[in-house]
Amino acid sequence: MVTATTALEAELLEIAGSVPDPELPVLTLQELGVVRAVHLHGADTVEVELTPTYTGCPAVEAMSLDIERTLHQHGIREVTVRTVLAPAWSTDDITAEGRRKLREFGIAPPRAVREQGPVPLALGPTRSLRSPAATSEPEPVHCPHCGSADTELLSRFSSTACKALRRCLACREPFDHFKEL
């Protein structure tokens, strides 16, 4: 949930949200859905609410420093970035534009998570050659290069903890998949 109560707060929220994600610079923090609110306290003092993608995300410190630097460049003297854990971030918070950019960057965007509440944990093989129709997944992960749904999981983790490594069985290209939360 993103909140801004005044026109200036809305403008500052847009500026804070324009900061690129340090791990996925193709996305802004607004497109990632992690900048939740901006509160103006006085003429040039701002508090920004930031929700990490998961507890212990190593990028939060870099995000906070980049938000502070960007708002200082726009004339805000004092900037505080506060980490907010509730409501928890979900991959459903990634905007449609963010999903489009991930796909164009060669990363399969997360599938929509429609259910609220605890995230079920499933253990299984790290690699499978089952066809998408044979899997229990409601929606296959599509290759960002050719669009095929015939993909396999190579590793549950990739370049960041947020992504899994997959390979397309149609075009044979490996790709990252932004995991659903």
Side-chain angles (χ1 to χ4, degrees):
M1 179 171 62
V2 175
T3 58
T5 55
T6 68
L8 182 55
E9 286 174 330
E11 182 181 339
L12 295 172
L13 180 65
E14 189 169 321
I15 292 168
S18 69
V19 170
D21 178 77
E23 291 183 335
L24 294 166
V26 66
L27 295 181
T28 66
L29 297 183
Q30 177 191 21
E31 292 163 342
L32 188 58
V34 295
V35 176
R36 296 292 171 91
V38 169
H39 303 287
L40 189 60
H41 304 290
D44 59 355
T45 303
V46 168
E47 177 185 79
V48 178
E49 293 180 358
L50 178 70
T51 300
T53 56
Y54 62 96
T55 304
C57 175
V60 168
E61 186 175 331
M63 290 179 193
S64 297
L65 292 173
D66 290 346
I67 288 170
E68 289 176 16
R69 183 178 32 254
T70 299
L71 289 173
H72 287 311
Q73 290 170 348
H74 283 80
I76 303 299
R77 184 179 51 82
E78 189 172 327
V79 178
T80 303
V81 178
R82 187 167 59 94
T83 300
V84 177
L85 301 179
W89 179 86
S90 160
T91 49
D92 287 344
D93 295 330
I94 299 175
T95 66
E97 178 68 6
R99 292 171 186 274
R100 183 191 65 75
K101 286 182 174 180
L102 284 172
R103 196 173 300 107
E104 285 183 3
F105 195 63
I107 299 173
R111 295 165 291 189
V113 179
R114 291 178 176 78
E115 296 179 22
Q116 298 293 318
V119 176
L121 175 64
L123 301 176
T126 57
R127 187 169 180 190
S128 172
L129 292 177
R130 295 179 298 172
S131 69
T135 67
S136 60
E137 295 179 4
E139 180 183 340
V141 175
H142 291 267
C143 173
H145 306 294
C146 73
S148 173
D150 196 11
T151 64
E152 68 175 333
L153 179 67
L154 297 177
S155 174
R156 293 188 186 278
F157 297 97
S158 184
S159 57
T160 65
C162 302
K163 294 182 281 185
L165 181 61
R166 299 187 73 97
R167 179 175 57 185
C168 178
L169 298 174
C171 72
R172 312 300 292 173
E173 288 292 325
F175 63 92
D176 282 338
H177 169 227
F178 201 113
K179 296 184 284 189
E180 294 82 16
L181 286 178

